[in-house]
Amino acid sequence: MAKEGGIGGAIWETVKTIFWALLIAGVFRTVFYQPFWIPSGSMKDTLLIGDFLFVNKMAYGYSYASCPTIRLARFGIEVDAKDICGFLDGDNTRFLGRQPTRGDVVVFRHPATGQDYIKRLVGMPGDTVQMKDSVLYINGEPVKLEDGGTFVETYERQGPEGRPPRCENGAVGPGADCLKSRQIETLPGGVSHDILNIGTYRNSDETGVFHVPEGQYFMMGDNRDNSLDSRFAPAAGGVGFVPFENLIGRADRIMFSSAGRSMLFFWTWRSDRFFKGIT
């Protein structure tokens, strides 16, 4: 009997340990930092496919979007943030809320699909935003642009999704250099960052004037010709304006980076990007 009791006690202790570990991890993920893996090239060259970072959830305070969304399609598990914290949704406010800063790299919930996205905040509430001849205009004034040289990457399938990059130098073969024009863009307020272009596209580089509503933000990818962002309505595959309550947090630093199809392929690790600050 003592032996059976000992086994039962050990099992119960293991269950309690797992429970508390999951609870602590859940609280940490909800309140402090959320891991985020870059799946696409929309933020090149600031963020590359395979960069791994932690999102600072304390930066803007908390809303329903701060709760985790758990999607494990293989096991039929889909728990949305609204299922956990839906009681906080609907008023576009935040607990301990702080306004983001123009130029922040922000992770947010897509207003229509609820998927997590990462883009740069370029338009604040009350701003007007427009693209003219590939140049960003904010409140009627063009942003400052400087030549940033040429961004070069290898034409190959990238990341878990296996998508090849788009190139300014046309169709190139596997293993060839894929080129993009790079400029240094300085936003009002002084934040400077790289942007990439591969040409002029009517829908992304020539737009009408967007009037950013109060309580919402205008997001764009740094890889300007490869980003479905606030320039496009959700019905067109974009994100439209992003409400304050949909912000999850600010991306401050890359912790780890891998250029391969799996993070286990250590020979594809980009050690020069480990612990790199995001600007």
Side-chain angles (χ1 to χ4, degrees):
M1 292 297 294
K3 184 176 181 180
E4 291 180 359
I7 294 174
I11 293 174
W12 176 239
E13 287 301 318
T14 301
V15 170
K16 287 195 296 182
T17 299
I18 294 173
F19 169 79
W20 285 112
L22 291 174
L23 180 62
I24 292 170
V27 170
F28 183 87
R29 189 181 188 280
T30 300
V31 177
F32 299 108
Y33 293 95
Q34 174 178 318
F36 193 86
W37 189 274
I38 303 300
S40 73
S42 70
M43 283 295 292
K44 291 178 181 177
D45 63 349
T46 304
L47 298 172
L48 302 181
I49 296 173
D51 283 348
F52 179 81
L53 49 90
F54 282 100
V55 180
N56 181 359
K57 288 192 167 187
M58 298 175 285
Y60 310 134
Y62 305 96
S63 71
Y64 85 96
S66 303
C67 286
T69 293
I70 304 171
R71 291 188 174 96
L72 299 172
R74 182 181 301 178
F75 303 102
I77 298 174
E78 183 167 345
V79 181
D80 191 82
K82 287 186 177 181
D83 297 331
I84 304 172
C85 296
F87 63 94
L88 297 174
D89 183 26
D91 57 2
N92 203 26
T93 60
R94 307 180 71 88
F95 176 66
L96 300 177
R98 291 176 291 279
Q99 290 291 326
T101 300
R102 191 195 310 276
D104 284 356
V105 176
V106 180
V107 173
F108 58 91
R109 277 178 59 94
H110 189 289
T113 68
Q115 296 285 342
D116 291 351
Y117 272 54
I118 186 165
K119 305 290 182 186
R120 189 177 298 276
L121 193 163
V122 301
M124 302 293 288
D127 283 348
T128 62
V129 178
Q130 184 179 20
M131 292 293 294
K132 293 195 291 186
D133 193 23
S134 302
V135 178
L136 174 63
Y137 283 69
I138 297 177
N139 297 323
E141 296 293 329
V143 297
K144 179 183 176 183
L145 291 173
E146 302 172 74
D147 179 51
T150 301
F151 176 73
V152 184
E153 60 184 334
T154 302
Y155 185 83
E156 60 186 357
R157 296 189 178 277
Q158 299 177 346
E161 296 181 359
R163 296 180 182 179
R166 296 169 64 188
C167 313
E168 189 174 23
N169 52 328
V172 299
D177 284 346
C178 175
L179 310 181
K180 294 179 179 65
S181 295
R182 177 166 50 199
Q183 295 172 297
I184 302 170
E185 179 180 84
T186 301
L187 299 172
V191 174
S192 296
H193 58 97
D194 289 351
I195 61 169
L196 303 181
N197 279 290
I198 59 174
T200 300
Y201 292 84
R202 180 178 300 174
N203 291 336
S204 59
D205 290 332
E206 295 285 347
T207 73
V209 177
F210 298 94
H211 296 266
V212 185
E214 289 300 320
Q216 305 203 38
Y217 301 90
F218 196 95
M219 307 288 187
M220 292 180 66
D222 290 347
N223 191 0
R224 290 290 161 81
D225 297 322
N226 193 38
S227 177
L228 290 171
D229 46 43
S230 291
R231 290 172 289 179
F232 306 91
V239 301
F241 300 120
V242 178
F244 185 39
E245 66 180 352
N246 280 44
L247 306 185
I248 294 175
R250 185 181 64 219
D252 294 328
R253 187 171 298 276
I254 299 165
M255 304 303 295
F256 171 83
S257 185
S258 172
R261 300 291 296 272
S262 169
M263 65 179 294
L264 299 179
F265 296 169
F266 63 87
W267 57 91
T268 66
W269 292 357
R270 307 183 186 105
S271 58
D272 61 318
R273 297 184 67 80
F274 290 9
F275 309 110
K276 181 179 179 181
I278 297 172
T279 57

